[in-house]
Amino acid sequence: AAFFNGSDPNRLCFTYNSTDALNLLIFGLLGPGDHAVTTTLEHNSVLRPLYHLSRDHGVAVDHVPFNAAGIVEPEAIAARFRPNTRLVAVNHASNVIGTVQPIREIGRLCRERGILFLIDASQSAGKIPIDMEADFLDAVAFTGHKSLLGPTGIGGLYVREGVEVRQTRAGGTGVRSAQRSHLEEYPYRLEYGTPNIMGI
């Protein structure tokens, strides 16, 4: 959590990888009637969940293109905002063309409008500084096996305080096992079953 300048280590939830983290957040935030903005530079770990929500659950999605320099202009994202825009999801650093997006400027525009801002930090976590506060981030999804120099099969999701993600799964945690419903508090809210402790 400190690595991303997060304020609460309990808000760091371990997952299997970035895809798992992104699915937890995207499906846990969006529902019928919501609108999301993303880019044409995204990995399928963002594009496919959004496509399924669009196809099956009435979520509208806009895809903002990048310019000739490979940058998604913050103003182009803001131009897609609607009254029902709930989420902006941006690939921090592209593994295809190598560009790094201006997340601080995008994050500021999102925060001004009260729109949640998620970055896919699969390529950047461990290589490019990421600051939850200074970059106006609401959630960061990351994987362990790239610039964090960890093994495969481990990733995570940091969710800023005040952002609540709907539970889309339920299971064991070894905590208060007599309780019938899945635990509401973080990190258990988004962690299900035994984590990849060796990977962590």
Side-chain angles (χ1 to χ4, degrees):
F3 192 72
F4 299 121
N5 191 28
S7 58
D8 181 358
N10 288 322
R11 305 292 291 201
L12 191 292
C13 306
F14 286 107
T15 64
Y16 297 119
N17 45 50
S18 289
T19 298
D20 189 38
L22 290 161
N23 269 263
L24 280 172
L25 190 92
I26 291 169
F27 280 100
L29 278 178
L30 299 173
D34 287 337
H35 172 246
V37 178
T38 190
T39 80
T40 55
L41 278 173
E42 300 310 304
H43 189 274
N44 275 338
S45 55
V46 167
L47 295 176
R48 285 179 173 159
L50 289 175
Y51 171 76
H52 282 278
L53 283 167
S54 173
R55 186 189 68 182
D56 302 333
H57 299 286
V59 173
V61 181
D62 276 332
H63 298 82
V64 179
F66 51 94
N67 63 21
I71 300 298
V72 179
E73 296 167 3
E75 298 76 19
I77 288 179
R80 304 293 181 101
F81 290 170
R82 304 179 189 174
N84 63 333
T85 303
R86 183 88 196 279
L87 177 69
V88 170
V90 172
N91 187 336
H92 187 198
S94 171
N95 67 325
V96 178
I97 63 174
T99 53
V100 178
Q101 300 308 317
I103 59 169
R104 185 164 298 177
E105 292 78 7
I106 296 168
R108 183 180 291 109
L109 293 170
C110 291
R111 187 66 55 85
E112 288 170 357
R113 293 286 298 273
I115 297 167
L116 298 178
F117 183 39
L118 159 69
I119 64 165
D120 174 359
S122 300
Q123 310 298 328
S124 57
K127 191 166 190 67
I128 301 169
I130 295 168
D131 189 316
M132 294 295 297
E133 296 303 317
D135 295 329
F136 303 97
L137 301 173
D138 293 298
V140 175
F142 63 92
T143 192
H145 74 281
K146 296 186 179 181
S147 293
L148 288 173
L149 308 179
T152 56
I154 186 64
L157 178 67
Y158 189 91
V159 181
R160 184 175 64 85
E161 286 186 87
V163 176
E164 295 308 329
V165 181
R166 193 172 54 246
Q167 293 173 327
T168 58
R169 304 174 190 169
T173 64
V175 178
R176 292 201 302 282
S177 297
Q179 182 173 318
R180 293 177 62 96
S181 61
H182 194 81
L183 304 181
E184 294 285 333
E185 69 266 26
Y186 289 83
Y188 310 113
R189 184 182 187 94
L190 299 179
E191 289 182 352
Y192 306 85
T194 304
N196 179 1
I197 295 169
M198 296 294 285
I200 295 167

